[in-house]
Amino acid sequence: MLAQRISSVNALSALCEATGADVDEVAFAVGTDTRIGAKFLKASVGFGGSCFQKDILNLVYLCESLHLPEVANYWRQVIIMNDYQKRRFVGRLLQSLFNTVSGKRIAVFGFAFKKDTGDTRETPAIDVCSALLHEGAEVAVYDPKVSTKQMIYDLTQAGHSSESIAEGFSAHEDAYSAAAGADAVVIITEWDEFTQLDYNRIYASMRKPAVLFDGRLVLNHATLRDIGFKVLAIGKVVSTDAENLVF
């Protein structure tokens, strides 16, 4: 049920981007209904961790074993929506960078599936970084708790060779070195540290136009735009995306 709520609000985030609505406002309105409540209605790049996907797939298997295909398909859609959200995230980033990241440096802030843990099981960062590597990007990652060894292991398990990882991937000891010379910064994990960074310093060190994609809705987007960033965010039209609204 918790995973279903996340996929539900992420589905609405796509609709919000297409219409110019703000997913945080939609989630707040929905959450004020006491029958629903506000928890697990935060739009994001997608859920991860060891439980949600495994448990839902077990539920799908149980339903199929009991000859309940419609029920199985209903729950499978929670996973489909989560995978779609990650693909959509990467697609929007590509679009913002003129439909190619080949040879471009993308700084990824966060690799763990959520803050305050080093756990990378089913983290959206694996899918995002993997897709960027496949597109020829130089991926520079910073996470305060995940080791370089773990990141490399996860990317290897995702199908990347040691050679491709050595060529296109780097792990950094701080956010500033990851962002130096980057074309875009991507927030994957909602670490508190990322809300306290000096984004003037980060902007000054990046190539222009500097893109920042907030995949966790943790930053002040108006302030970032004032600095000079082209801002993208899940479920929001906060930059020149307004020109591309689909009705």
Side-chain angles (χ1 to χ4, degrees):
M1 291 292 185
L2 297 178
Q4 181 193 57
R5 287 171 66 90
I6 294 172
S7 281
S8 293
V9 76
N10 282 342
L12 289 174
S13 76
L15 181 61
C16 287
E17 290 171 25
T19 60
D22 185 323
V23 73
D24 277 340
E25 294 179 1
V26 173
F28 175 78
V30 170
T32 58
D33 188 323
T34 56
R35 297 167 299 175
I36 298 172
K39 293 182 178 179
F40 283 81
L41 287 181
K42 188 69 172 178
S44 71
V45 64
F47 61 73
S50 61
C51 297
F52 282 167
Q53 180 158 310
K54 170 180 64 66
D55 291 347
I56 292 172
L57 291 175
N58 284 338
L59 181 58
V60 169
Y61 176 78
L62 177 63
C63 293
E64 289 177 338
S65 298
L66 295 172
H67 308 293
L68 299 168
E70 292 84 0
V71 181
N73 288 336
Y74 175 82
W75 287 106
R76 185 182 288 110
Q77 189 62 38
V78 174
I79 300 296
I80 292 172
M81 184 63 232
N82 196 54
D83 291 339
Y84 166 72
Q85 186 76 342
K86 291 180 284 190
R87 294 195 307 272
R88 200 172 67 81
F89 183 86
V90 173
R92 194 166 169 216
L93 177 60
L94 286 171
Q95 184 181 37
S96 74
L97 293 170
F98 309 103
N99 294 313
T100 180
V101 291
S102 180
K104 296 178 180 178
R105 181 180 174 97
I106 310 298
V108 174
F109 288 2
F111 201 88
F113 84 91
K114 66 177 181 179
K115 70 176 184 178
D116 301 327
T117 181
D119 193 342
T120 65
R121 287 174 291 183
E122 304 295 340
T123 176
I126 296 174
D127 298 88
V128 172
C129 291
S130 183
L132 291 172
L133 287 171
H134 278 305
E135 292 288 337
E138 176 191 345
V139 180
V141 182
Y142 166 66
D143 188 286
K145 284 198 174 182
V146 180
S147 68
T148 303
K149 180 179 179 181
Q150 183 63 50
M151 295 181 199
I152 292 174
Y153 172 79
D154 289 332
L155 292 173
T156 301
Q157 292 298 109
H160 294 278
S161 66
S162 299
E163 292 77 14
S164 67
I165 294 173
E167 180 179 344
F169 170 83
S170 60
H172 295 259
E173 294 185 356
D174 62 73
Y176 299 108
S177 63
D183 296 272
V185 167
V186 178
I187 309 291
I188 297 292
T189 312
E190 71 280 21
W191 287 102
D192 293 339
E193 173 185 340
F194 298 155
T195 68
Q196 301 162 8
L197 295 170
D198 183 348
Y199 283 95
N200 282 289
R201 175 182 171 185
I202 288 173
Y203 179 79
S205 73
M206 294 175 63
R207 297 177 62 187
K208 308 300 185 295
V211 175
L212 192 148
F213 199 162
D214 185 359
R216 291 290 179 175
L217 304 183
V218 294
L219 302 180
N220 185 317
H221 302 146
T223 298
L224 292 169
R225 290 198 305 274
D226 288 343
I227 290 171
F229 284 102
K230 176 181 179 181
V231 180
L232 306 176
I234 292 290
K236 295 174 183 282
V237 179
V238 292
S239 189
T240 54
D241 284 6
E243 300 171 1
N244 301 313
L245 291 182
V246 177
F247 292 99

